[in-house]
Amino acid sequence: PDSSLSSSPSSPPSTAKTPLYQPAPLPLHILIVGCGLGGLAAAHTLSSSGHSITLIESATAIGEVGAGIQVTPNVTRLLERWGLGEKMKQVAVRPEAIVFRRYSTGERVGYTRWGSQFEEGVGRGAPYYHMHRADFHKLLFDLAAPNMELRLNSTVVSVSPSSPSNPQPSVTLASGEVIKGDMIVGCDGVKSCIREVVLGKKVVADPTGDAAYRAIIPTDLMLQDPELRPFVETPEMTAWMAPGRHLMAYNIRAKKEFNLVLLHPDDGSVESWTAEGSADKMRTDFGDFEPRVRKLLSSVSSTLKWRLMDRLPLDSWVHPSGSVVLLGDSCHPMLPYRAQGAAMAIEDAAVLGNLFSKLESREQIKPLLEAYQELRLERTGNTQASSRLNQHIFHLPDGPEQRHRDAEMRKAMLAELY
Ligand code: FAD
């Protein structure tokens, strides 16, 4: 299993000095809907390309859920070029490897080295980081905020694409206010209402059959326990694989907090970033895991839980008028089993911003949006598919296929370590 992803070998090497965005000859007023990681990245890249940005968000305050996130080298490379290298270092933990374990015994069956060797090779100089989502969101918010108008507490309820009689596309808010712009970027997540406008029909994301519990434990408790201390002190991320389930665990916030993501069959959760789950039910669902995991879970006081959605690639991300486009989870929701959902949204933003730094005339808007889709669709579609494949690989039932997987992983681990 490959839980990371690097960028395509053809992209240029990392350098903070490379000027990525030039002010476009024709600046637009762009409406971005959604202040998630994708919306903020797009606000940064499009404003860096000289466009004026209004970012519209339904929440009343800026923030992210209390959970960790893996930030892979294909993203950190971009963020370094955006000048966030030092700030990332301050809030991130840099793991050196991922260890795969058998759920019931804790036996180590697989090992992939990250650290400097991996980063210099596959990562091409960019680090692999673990962060708290709120810290990551704040980094992007602080980057984008000076160059955008932010409209909080503003839920978009309808969108009017441009038309011959109405050349300016607009969004209507729940308050009834209409905001006009030159282009609309739908970064409104997995339940996107803008997706419906772009496709002209309701197209929802599909349940994957899995749901996630998430929890954070303070590491001071773990450091007092000789069995749990190594999870904090060893610079490794751990993944336990079980029939129909897996558990990812890693340090965040200068190793003061330990993040747990527990993937399991969906038994009626809701699709929401903020729904509370039952910590007791979580302990029961993972009650057949090795004693150290049960000990870890015994110190969880509260948990978030949500249903995991994905879907097959969409036919189009661009409205036929060429005035509305999708980005991030709104167009390519995926299982988090390669840690690439936010990564793909941020890559989308990098490409969109770069293309729109070339805009010279209004006639170019639609072809540039189509070029964006063309550049992104295959890569995001492959990532959706490989994330699905990891669901199969991680969750094999005990039996011949699982034993074959573990044997192959052990072989690769021995080659890696000795
Ligand atoms: P969102 O973050 O969903 O943002 C959408 C925003 O739009 C929200 O702020 C919402 O309030 C707003 N909005 C929605 N509708 C409207 C409206 N009508 N009007 C105004 N505003 C609106 N990715 C990684 O790269 N690495 C990982 O390690 C990783 N781990 C994950 C673990 C789990 C358990 C899950 C569920 C996901 C994980 N992901 C990971 C995926 C990642 O979190 C998502 O892909 C990413 O957050 C999507 O960002 P987005 O900006 O497209 O959408």
Side-chain angles (χ1 to χ4, degrees), residues 36-357:
L37 297 167
L40 284 172
H44 167 64
T45 59
L46 289 166
S47 67
S48 302
S49 298
H51 304 290
S52 89
I53 307 295
T54 300
L55 198 151
I56 303 163
E57 166 59 46
S58 56
T60 50
I62 285 301
E64 254 287 357
V65 291
I69 186 161
Q70 300 186 61
V71 189
T72 48
N74 52 320
V75 184
T76 58
R77 184 180 308 116
L78 286 171
L79 299 183
E80 282 185 346
R81 286 193 220 159
W82 297 351
L84 292 176
E86 277 310 307
K87 288 187 177 157
M88 274 195 294
K89 243 187 232 171
Q90 284 162 20
V91 296
V93 172
R94 197 170 188 167
E96 285 178 14
I98 178 167
V99 176
F100 293 90
R101 294 185 184 277
R102 181 151 168 78
Y103 71 106
S104 51
T105 60
E107 182 209 347
R108 193 164 72 156
V109 292
Y111 181 93
T112 303
R113 197 189 298 279
W114 293 333
S116 50
Q117 201 182 335
F118 168 88
E119 289 169 5
E120 289 314 317
V122 178
R124 286 180 297 109
Y128 198 121
Y129 280 144
H130 289 152
M131 292 188 209
H132 194 290
R133 292 182 80 105
D135 297 341
F136 190 28
H137 193 269
K138 185 172 181 329
L139 284 183
L140 285 178
F141 181 78
D142 290 348
L143 182 69
N147 300 310
M148 69 185 190
E149 180 203 8
L150 176 63
R151 300 286 308 266
L152 289 175
N153 197 13
S154 301
T155 301
V156 171
V157 290
S158 70
V159 174
S160 299
S162 66
S163 66
S165 60
N166 177 22
Q168 276 204 300
S170 62
V171 298
T172 304
L173 305 183
S175 63
E177 184 187 354
V178 175
I179 308 178
K180 290 187 176 191
D182 298 310
M183 184 172 111
I184 298 168
V185 187
C187 308
D188 52 340
V190 68
K191 286 190 272 188
S192 170
C193 67
I194 299 184
R195 181 171 57 217
E196 213 170 311
V197 176
V198 166
L199 295 164
K201 58 181 180 189
K202 199 165 179 66
V203 175
V204 292
D206 302 320
T208 58
D210 283 357
Y213 292 112
R214 315 202 70 169
I216 291 178
I217 312 174
T219 49
D220 51 0
L221 293 175
M222 295 170 66
L223 287 168
Q224 290 160 24
D225 184 320
E227 273 191 328
L228 300 184
R229 192 184 307 132
F231 290 118
V232 183
E233 289 180 342
T234 316
E236 294 169 348
M237 169 181 182
T238 309
W240 285 266
M241 297 181 293
R245 291 156 296 158
H246 74 283
L247 163 53
M248 306 290 247
Y250 52 87
N251 290 290
I252 52 175
R253 288 195 161 154
K255 297 189 164 191
K256 297 273 185 291
E257 296 178 3
F258 196 63
N259 181 62
L260 299 166
V261 193
L262 301 104
L263 299 310
H264 61 103
D266 183 23
D267 53 2
S269 55
V270 287
E271 196 280 298
S272 154
W273 285 110
T274 49
E276 284 266 334
S278 154
D280 285 337
K281 174 81 168 67
M282 177 188 71
R283 283 186 270 274
T284 307
D285 289 348
F286 287 79
D288 55 349
F289 274 51
E290 59 146 318
R292 290 179 305 174
V293 170
R294 299 208 298 274
K295 211 188 265 186
L296 278 171
L297 298 188
S298 69
S299 52
V300 173
S301 52
S302 68
T303 173
L304 294 167
K305 178 179 179 185
W306 61 90
R307 178 184 294 172
L308 299 175
M309 313 290 283
D310 74 355
R311 57 157 298 104
L312 291 171
L314 294 173
D315 292 336
S316 176
W317 297 1
V318 183
H319 185 268
S321 63
S323 62
V324 188
V325 68
L326 301 173
L327 183 150
D329 274 11
S330 68
C331 49
H332 48 65
M334 61 187 72
L335 277 167
Y337 299 172
R338 290 195 77 189
Q340 284 300 304
M344 288 297 115
I346 292 166
E347 284 189 3
D348 290 348
V351 171
L352 191 65
N354 214 325
L355 288 170
F356 273 77
S357 67

